[in-house]
Amino acid sequence: MALDTYEEDMLRCTRCSYCKWIPHQVMSDSHFLTVCPSIDRYNFHGWSAGGRQIAALSLLKGRTNVGEKFLDMIYQCQMCGGCDVSCKIERDLEPYEVMQQLRIMCIERGDIIPEHLLFIDGLKKEDNMMMESKEKRGDWAEGLNVKVLTKEHADVLFHAGCRYSFDHELWSTCRSALTILLNAGVDIGILGKEETCCGGRSYEMGYASELMKYAEHNTDTWKAAGVKTVVTPCADCYQAFKVLYSKTGQKHAVEVLHITEFIDRLMKEGKIRLTKRVPLTVTYHDPCHLGRLAEPWVHWEGKKVKVNGQMVVHDPPKKKRCGANGVYEAPRDILRKIPGLNFVEMHRIREYAWCCGAGGGVKEAYPDFAEWTAARRLEEAAVVGAKALVSACPWCKRNFIDATPNTDARVEVYDIIELVEQAI
Amino acid sequence: MSLSKEAYRALEDIVGPEYVTQEPEILDTYCFVWANELIFGEKFSPRPLAVVLPETVEEVQAIVRACNRFGIRYRAHATGFETSAITSSEPFLPIDMRRMNRVVEIDRTNRFAVVEPYVSQARLFLETMKVGLRPNMLGAGPSASVLAGTAAHFGSGPTNISTDFGGRNLLGAEWVLPNGDILRLGSLGTGAGWINGDGPGPSLRGVLRGYGGANGGMGIFTKVATKLYPWYGPPKLQPKGVPPTYGMVIPENFSVYCVILPGRDKMNDFFHLLIEESIAFSIQRLNPALGAILATESNDELWELMKNIPEEQRRAPVFSAIVLLDASSAREMEYKEKCFQMILEQTDGTVFPFDDHIQGLLFNNSVTGQGMTRAAFRSTGSFIISPVGDEAVDALTTLTELSEKEIVKEARDSGQIMETAPEPVWGVVYGDGGAHVEVITMYDPADRASCKKTSELLEKGDKKIVEWGLGINSLENALSFNESALKAALPQSRDFVKWIKKIKRAFDPNNAADSAFYVSPEDY
């Protein structure tokens, strides 16, 4: 769907600014009412979903050109999707899709953020978003007794993702994740240096063709390996496999699971038991790509028609994606079952969670903004009394760690895998 | 009008370069707002000269003084939701107040709150609930600015029966006059605090806002005190369910009803009796279809429900109201319920049987104004209110009857606006017997024919309301662009117009405060 197919949505935006706040029904503390890091940090209306609808229309109408400031306005945004949830409480519009298509249009026109281009060049050459050599991709698993699925067969593929594969500080978490599954008796393997990027982060930057490329490549690889399930500890990869591949029309018969879903399932089957006490007060940060952005894609073909005079409906009716059908319970179920652990919720959770700040190409192009956003989240965690903030995505963890010096909030940062490991 | 380099540098010096811009791509996001297409034939009004975001009253004062010095017209806005917040017929300087967002004070004993412009009513309500109080709630919904609805704009809303409308809630105000002087209104002006808008100190509420609000045409308010009222609910409301149809748990000692009355006269009696008995937290004249709109996730789902209702039933006239009762105890609730039942008996009213979920949605709507934007905007993309009246209850039901016959029916039959039951209105009543009613027209802003028909309807509303002797259209000025409604009402209102223009000239000698939705200084 090209940007101009959303022109009527842009015309029907009324600048209500609901996209700047969490839904009003779920507001619980006046210090944590907003959902959009972009408008909170940069203030001008253009740095909101509503503003970007206007900017897109202005561009389509030839009123403005894409210059440096325009690109900042479009790209100083994590594409976290909080705005989309809030807008859809009141309206039948697609602000997130407009922002995504606007980025794709910018790339197609050659209007590129130089910092992103470095990562995209790296991706094209090395199949990862970390500007690292693909030869080193499997190094994180060195010494683990695990099948490599280019040579052997297993039912389950463990896909580490770019961040876990190359961020040495996070390797132990990734190794723990795989070890937990191996110890639970799962027939699981990895692709080692043959693993590639999911394509999700490049898509968010507007590089649609890269997503297509990796969607085809990865689904072909899964088919060739004969796996039934792909499990990943990375929320970005999970969303790409589950939602974006579906969006591109890439069909596959593989079950895609996030590590939290898989661990939760294994716990319910009695294959993982959490028995050791972890005496810690923690809160859980919903990664956007595991939460609201992980809601399954809705395939729909038809047209918009008017009934009852001017009422706009889809023919046939279309199910609205509102963010409620992400993965919210599995990580919470796990945390609640860890002995001795005191689990407290923050004020902005689930579909209206505040973003960690790392998505949408922000970590790559605007690292200060990424860390500013993460610092706000750490402060929220501290306010509800948490001693530790737990997430389920390596991009979140990396960004929270990087942001720690930028805030007075003294909160430890964990991935949920680390707590599971401690509790086994 | 243009902005010189010197003027821009002056603005930069005041707020810092991060908080002022002249970039065209950013400015375009400040000349786009709902209903622009009815005024300009397209979504964009003239591009502003620049946009500036002050943080303190001192910065606001310096900006206003710079505007006077350099001959720049300015207007402040909070969330920028209303057409009257942002649109103008010529380039001006929008002053975006989002950085002034503090709840300065909540005085529990004297029941008032002091807020800056960007404090939303949802936020103030969250804060005041904790101490057993609540503010007036605007129909514009939870994101609306408390300050705007109190000092600068009309401020009608569901709770007006128990709180009165925005203007009646204004106590002290910190007011940067159009020329840059700072005036502290009421008791604030004598250092006696925010307690009384009329003094000791300058009593200028009529000048500051009059009845309808000056919509930015009389300078900038940087802080206001607004009255608070008892809140008998819990310190925090309890949501339930998932988006987009989150429900709400109705607390103890609250009851919500959708009442159907057998006719216009009985509806008038119903409102009068509720005013007389002072038992309601909120009253809104609304069609029960609101329940279906709030309970459905999309137009698609709503239409799946609607299309199975026979057309004659969908288009049958309905006289109805959503009423919320509240009480401080079970005993008081018992009394209010009995009283309410007696009113129903006297007016032959019946209660529409909504289920618990929809009652929760109606409760939320009645308490916070949530859902009005969905009801108004979702179906077609946009709406307008015209005619709009502020009069006695009976006069306003006459207004809606005449509007239906002489304006709306023809537009509806044309197919260019949303088909609804006759008299599509939203109305509220005040504790003193007055009322406010808005005839709602939903149109598609992406459809030129729909916009054209709606513009015609708006123009007709300006003329007809005068012809009927029912006041001036859009007294709240939300859509009275360039004095269109005032001009239509001139034969009856020449004195009123003359005086507000005199006031404008006296307070704004350089005509610096943009008056696109108020009055120009020039006499007709």
Side-chain angles (χ1 to χ4, degrees):
Chain A
M1 298 279 272
L3 182 64
D4 56 5
T5 59
Y6 292 99
E7 185 172 333
E8 288 188 347
D9 276 29
M10 299 167 207
L11 288 164
R12 292 182 185 125
C13 172
T14 45
R15 206 190 189 283
C16 71
S17 285
Y18 274 48
C19 54
K20 296 169 184 169
W21 281 285
I22 63 172
H24 294 95
Q25 295 94 329
V26 294
M27 289 176 171
S28 63
D29 185 290
S30 65
H31 295 97
F32 303 102
L33 301 182
T34 56
V35 78
C36 175
S38 184
I39 186 71
D40 275 11
R41 171 65 185 80
Y42 295 103
N43 285 298
F44 289 106
H45 185 67
W47 275 257
S48 67
R52 293 184 183 104
Q53 312 304 296
I54 303 170
L57 185 67
S58 175
L59 186 66
L60 286 180
K61 297 285 182 195
R63 292 174 57 92
T64 45
N65 295 312
V66 179
E68 195 180 330
K69 193 52 88 176
F70 189 95
L71 288 174
D72 282 346
M73 189 161 73
I74 302 310
Y75 280 99
Q76 283 171 340
C77 159
Q78 284 91 354
M79 296 292 284
C80 75
C83 54
D84 200 66
V85 172
S86 292
C87 174
K88 285 175 177 170
I89 301 288
E90 302 293 313
R91 309 297 304 274
D92 280 3
L93 303 176
E94 294 287 350
Y96 189 86
E97 277 308 298
V98 169
M99 296 193 296
Q100 179 65 59
Q101 295 305 325
L102 181 55
R103 288 178 172 214
I104 291 171
M105 187 192 205
C106 285
I107 300 305
E108 287 171 353
R109 290 164 47 118
D111 295 313
I112 287 165
I113 299 266
E115 291 84 350
H116 285 172
L117 198 54
L118 291 174
F119 288 89
I120 297 300
D121 285 346
L123 177 68
K124 287 178 176 169
K125 196 173 155 206
E126 302 291 348
D127 292 324
N128 68 73
M129 290 295 285
M130 301 287 289
M131 295 198 291
E132 294 278 358
S133 164
K134 63 172 132 188
E135 290 302 313
K136 297 179 180 172
R137 179 136 196 154
D139 290 0
W140 66 273
E142 203 172 300
L144 291 178
N145 187 17
V146 61
K147 292 176 184 174
V148 178
L149 299 190
T150 49
K151 299 169 192 161
E152 300 164 89
H153 174 267
D155 287 341
V156 180
L157 168 65
F158 183 90
H159 180 96
C162 298
R163 172 57 67 182
Y164 269 135
S165 293
F166 296 105
D167 189 330
H168 292 220
E169 205 179 335
L170 304 184
W171 275 8
S172 63
T173 307
C174 193
R175 288 168 66 87
S176 297
L178 184 54
T179 305
I180 289 167
L181 300 182
L182 286 166
N183 291 343
V186 178
D187 179 23
I188 195 165
I190 61 172
L191 287 168
K193 67 179 180 183
E194 297 302 320
E195 182 184 292
T196 65
C197 179
C198 64
R201 290 183 76 81
S202 57
Y203 179 71
E204 281 184 357
M205 293 174 184
Y207 294 85
S209 58
E210 297 306 308
L211 175 68
M212 286 300 295
K213 183 175 99 181
Y214 288 104
E216 283 174 22
H217 171 78
N218 280 313
T219 50
D220 286 350
T221 304
W222 301 341
K223 197 174 170 186
V227 294
K228 294 174 186 165
T229 302
V230 174
V231 61
T232 177
C234 174
D236 278 40
C237 296
Y238 175 78
Q239 192 253 357
F241 295 158
K242 190 158 183 179
V243 182
L244 298 183
Y245 287 12
S246 174
K247 185 180 179 183
T248 62
Q250 196 66 37
K251 291 192 171 76
H252 61 82
V254 172
E255 180 190 35
V256 174
L257 291 175
H258 186 260
I259 186 84
T260 53
E261 292 177 296
F262 204 25
I263 289 174
D264 190 44
R265 181 189 289 179
L266 293 169
M267 285 169 59
K268 283 173 179 146
E269 290 171 356
K271 292 174 182 168
I272 292 177
R273 292 177 199 282
L274 307 183
T275 54
K276 289 185 186 162
R277 285 178 59 79
V278 181
L280 189 62
T281 297
V282 307
T283 191
Y284 176 67
H285 167 78
D286 289 282
C288 307
H289 292 84
L290 186 60
R292 56 189 164 231
L293 295 177
E295 179 156 323
W297 186 252
V298 173
H299 288 278
W300 173 83
E301 274 184 38
K303 57 185 177 182
K304 281 187 180 177
V305 296
K306 286 190 177 172
V307 295
N308 218 30
Q310 294 289 318
M311 184 170 165
V312 184
V313 299
H314 297 87
D315 182 23
K318 182 185 179 188
K319 184 76 185 159
K320 200 165 160 182
R321 293 176 77 232
C322 295
N325 296 311
V327 179
Y328 300 116
E329 283 309 316
R332 287 176 170 78
D333 279 351
I334 294 169
L335 290 173
R336 288 190 194 106
K337 284 174 187 158
I338 294 177
L341 187 136
N342 179 30
F343 174 50
V344 293
E345 291 278 20
M346 286 184 277
H347 293 290
R348 294 172 291 190
I349 57 172
R350 298 175 181 259
E351 69 272 5
Y352 54 96
W354 180 259
C355 174
C356 79
V362 168
K363 184 76 178 160
E364 291 81 358
Y366 308 99
D368 290 352
F369 174 39
E371 289 170 24
W372 178 90
T373 304
R376 303 290 82 74
R377 192 59 159 168
L378 291 168
E379 286 157 10
E380 184 175 350
V383 162
V384 298
K387 300 296 175 204
L389 180 145
V390 182
S391 189
C393 175
W395 296 94
C396 296
K397 183 169 178 191
R398 165 48 57 207
N399 205 40
F400 285 133
I401 292 170
D402 292 348
T404 302
N406 302 335
T407 171
D408 293 332
R410 289 290 151 252
V411 179
E412 292 180 86
V413 178
Y414 289 100
D415 190 280
I416 193 167
I417 297 160
E418 297 169 273
L419 296 185
V420 170
E421 187 191 25
Q422 286 181 39
I424 288 175
Chain B
M1 194 180 292
S2 62
L3 192 71
S4 66
K5 283 182 181 171
E6 193 187 357
Y8 188 79
R9 270 199 302 275
L11 295 173
E12 266 189 334
D13 289 344
I14 295 165
V15 295
E18 196 182 340
Y19 297 110
V20 59
T21 185
Q22 262 189 312
E23 301 284 350
E25 50 270 61
I26 303 175
L27 297 185
D28 264 12
T29 66
Y30 286 87
C31 55
F32 173 112
V33 70
W34 67 274
N36 256 3
E37 58 278 1
L38 303 181
I39 298 169
F40 301 98
E42 61 160 329
K43 282 304 293 195
F44 293 94
S45 49
R47 186 178 281 160
L49 300 168
V51 177
V52 62
L53 289 93
E55 194 182 20
T56 63
V57 62
E58 290 78 16
E59 287 182 2
V60 172
Q61 182 180 41
I63 291 166
V64 169
R65 284 185 170 156
C67 287
N68 276 273
R69 188 162 75 249
F70 292 105
I72 304 162
R73 205 163 285 166
Y74 67 88
R75 176 148 34 100
H77 68 268
T79 57
F81 186 4
E82 290 266 15
T83 317
S84 52
I86 288 186
T87 288
S88 192
S89 54
E90 58 181 295
F92 74 111
L93 177 73
I95 303 176
D96 184 338
M97 305 295 278
R98 64 170 274 118
R99 295 175 70 213
M100 297 187 69
N101 60 4
R102 287 163 283 252
V103 176
V104 178
E105 181 185 354
I106 292 175
D107 186 325
R108 187 178 183 177
T109 309
N110 295 300
R111 291 186 179 173
F112 67 81
V114 181
V115 294
E116 291 188 333
Y118 205 72
V119 173
S120 69
Q121 61 180 14
R123 182 173 160 201
L124 183 59
F125 186 40
L126 269 178
E127 288 293 324
T128 57
M129 270 193 292
K130 293 178 197 165
V131 294
L133 296 169
R134 64 185 169 100
N136 167 47
M137 284 293 186
L138 308 171
S143 68
S145 157
V146 174
L147 179 142
T150 306
H153 195 53
F154 187 72
S156 54
T159 64
N160 287 171
I161 180 75
S162 57
T163 60
D164 222 317
F165 70 94
R168 295 270 187 266
N169 287 287
L170 177 66
L171 299 173
E174 184 179 77
W175 178 12
V176 180
L177 297 176
N179 66 357
D181 289 346
I182 295 178
L183 189 149
R184 292 186 170 83
L185 187 81
S187 49
L188 191 65
T190 54
W194 299 88
I195 187 72
N196 194 331
D198 290 322
S203 175
L204 292 169
R205 282 199 291 185
V207 168
L208 177 150
R209 58 159 294 139
Y211 190 70
N215 293 304
M218 285 290 279
I220 301 174
F221 310 105
T222 47
K223 289 187 194 78
V224 298
T226 186
K227 286 183 200 172
L228 300 173
Y229 300 85
W231 166 249
Y232 302 133
K236 197 161 84 175
L237 290 172
Q238 188 63 45
K240 60 180 182 181
V242 295
T245 54
Y246 292 114
M248 190 66 78
V249 176
I250 302 178
E252 276 183 28
N253 299 325
F254 283 84
S255 300
V256 66
Y257 297 97
C258 176
V259 177
I260 311 293
L261 285 312
R264 195 178 310 281
D265 292 342
K266 292 287 187 183
M267 184 174 66
N268 287 345
D269 292 346
F270 178 76
F271 287 138
H272 284 307
L273 287 166
L274 275 173
I275 292 167
E276 205 172 293
E277 296 302 329
S278 300
I279 58 171
F281 179 104
S282 71
I283 305 175
Q284 298 173 86
R285 183 181 168 190
L286 272 170
N287 191 293
L290 177 72
I293 294 168
L294 295 179
T296 50
E297 69 164 37
S298 63
N299 287 346
D300 293 0
E301 201 177 298
L302 179 63
W303 180 239
E304 289 299 304
L305 287 177
M306 283 173 69
K307 72 182 184 188
N308 297 319
I309 300 170
E311 196 164 312
E312 63 273 17
Q313 201 176 325
R314 280 207 318 258
R315 297 191 186 161
V318 182
F319 298 97
S320 55
I322 312 288
V323 179
L324 179 67
L325 306 181
D326 69 325
S328 60
S329 65
R331 193 157 169 241
E332 187 187 2
M333 197 64 192
E334 193 183 340
Y335 160 74
K336 285 191 172 182
E337 293 273 15
K338 273 185 193 165
C339 193
F340 185 67
Q341 290 304 323
M342 287 173 73
I343 292 171
L344 285 180
E345 282 166 24
Q346 284 181 44
T347 55
D348 300 324
T350 53
V351 173
F352 194 90
F354 278 130
D355 63 22
D356 285 353
H357 178 65
I358 296 183
Q359 285 199 34
L361 295 167
L362 293 175
F363 164 78
N364 184 38
N365 165 263
S366 299
V367 170
T368 68
Q370 173 83 40
M372 295 315 298
T373 48
R374 182 193 295 193
F377 286 121
R378 192 181 75 184
S379 296
T380 63
S382 194
F383 85 114
I384 58 149
I385 49 172
S386 179
V388 175
D390 288 87
E391 257 284 4
V393 168
D394 300 45
L396 292 185
T397 52
T398 301
L399 181 149
T400 60
E401 183 181 17
L402 290 169
S403 296
E404 174 63 26
K405 283 180 187 163
E406 298 185 29
I407 305 175
V408 182
K409 187 174 183 307
E410 182 274 327
R412 189 189 301 125
D413 290 346
S414 75
Q416 300 300 343
I417 62 170
M418 169 95 163
E419 286 179 19
T420 58
E423 299 189 36
V425 302
W426 175 73
V428 295
V429 295
Y430 310 136
D432 64 1
H436 172 85
V437 75
E438 301 174 357
V439 176
I440 307 286
T441 297
M442 287 172 271
Y443 70 98
D444 182 1
D447 183 320
R448 282 185 184 279
S450 183
C451 292
K452 184 168 178 290
K453 178 56 71 179
T454 309
S455 295
E456 289 169 13
L457 187 148
L458 190 57
E459 199 179 326
K460 267 190 197 172
D462 286 348
K463 290 175 183 158
K464 284 287 182 181
I465 196 167
V466 178
E467 189 183 312
W468 302 327
L470 288 170
I472 300 172
N473 196 22
S474 256
L475 193 60
E476 61 175 288
N477 291 320
L479 286 164
S480 184
F481 185 67
N482 283 348
E483 303 169 56
S484 58
L486 285 180
K487 284 173 186 165
L490 207 55
Q492 289 93 332
S493 311
R494 189 169 291 281
D495 235 26
F496 164 59
V497 174
K498 183 179 82 181
W499 277 103
I500 56 174
K501 281 176 177 284
K502 274 190 179 182
I503 291 168
K504 169 75 176 167
R505 285 196 293 268
F507 277 77
D508 190 6
N510 297 321
N511 192 20
D514 187 89
S515 287
F517 289 87
Y518 189 47
V519 285
S520 65
E522 297 87 22
D523 283 323
Y524 297 132

